[in-house]
Amino acid sequence: MNIVGRTLRAVSLALVFAAFPVAAQTPPGETFEHPERRYSLPIPADARARHPGGNVDIAIDSDKGFGVILQSAAVRPGASISEMAATLEAAYLGPDKAWRSKVGQHITLLSGLVAFNGYYAGNGARYRVVITRGQINTYTFVFRAREKFFEGFEKDFDKILQDFKPAPGDMPSPPAQV
């Protein structure tokens, strides 16, 4: 792919973190609750939160220099977390795309739900993508920081994830008592 194609792909990913027209904002230090999906997550005190609309529910821009976006959608029956990760990688991972390489991956728990954690690098930045699914919603977090600051800021992202609360209907039902 030529330089124009690579630039267009990098710009399209960068737009996710760019200044969209803002319909609403959640104040720093507050907790955002999605009005329809009913999940919540904290907004760090040193960050601005935007709700750009489209496929991005919330974009968090930290004064420290990192960004986080969260997308949610209704669960697609039969779609595994691995398939969702593969779809995202097909769009963004490759020699002519924003994510030049995959650095690693592992499976963890996020608020009691199984989660995919993928690590990517490209264009002087590192990315961590966390995908999880509940009973009714899927959640995709994208964390971005410059390469040299990524590890230092990742703890801030982990704090956001730690305080994330999926929608009440997303939690698996406990087994019936016998």
Side-chain angles (χ1 to χ4, degrees):
M1 180 177 278
N2 63 25
I3 189 72
V4 172
R6 285 192 300 257
T7 302
L8 287 175
R9 287 187 189 271
V11 167
S12 68
L13 184 61
L15 283 177
V16 173
F17 295 102
F20 287 96
V22 179
Q25 292 185 340
T26 301
E30 298 287 322
T31 298
F32 165 71
E33 183 172 328
H34 193 281
E36 291 90 30
R37 298 201 186 276
R38 306 229 9 240
Y39 68 81
S40 65
L41 80 155
I43 307 305
D46 64 349
R48 292 169 313 285
R50 299 176 283 112
H51 308 284
N55 62 354
V56 176
D57 294 348
I58 188 166
I60 300 171
D61 303 305
S62 172
D63 293 339
K64 292 179 179 180
F66 67 84
V68 177
I69 63 165
L70 172 57
Q71 299 175 318
S72 65
V75 166
R76 286 189 349 237
S80 71
I81 292 174
S82 296
E83 290 168 333
M84 291 187 284
T87 299
L88 195 66
E89 288 177 355
Y92 293 105
L93 177 61
D96 294 327
K97 298 180 182 179
W99 302 341
R100 300 269 196 264
S101 62
K102 186 171 188 173
V103 179
Q105 74 176 44
H106 64 275
I107 301 297
T108 60
L109 287 178
L110 174 60
S111 299
L113 302 173
V114 174
F116 166 89
N117 281 261
Y119 295 84
Y120 307 91
N123 298 319
R126 288 201 40 209
Y127 302 83
R128 179 174 163 198
V129 176
V130 178
I131 302 171
T132 191
R133 63 179 285 154
Q135 300 297 305
I136 56 175
N137 298 306
T138 61
Y139 305 96
T140 302
F141 295 84
V142 179
F143 166 70
R144 178 188 184 276
R146 291 180 48 97
E147 182 84 36
K148 63 183 178 179
F149 301 116
F150 183 88
E151 288 182 16
F153 294 153
E154 193 173 20
K155 66 181 175 1
D156 295 293
F157 180 52
D158 286 335
K159 176 70 174 141
I160 293 170
L161 293 176
Q162 175 185 341
D163 293 337
F164 168 71
K165 304 285 186 264
D170 275 326
M171 302 312 291
S173 298
Q177 297 294 323
V178 189

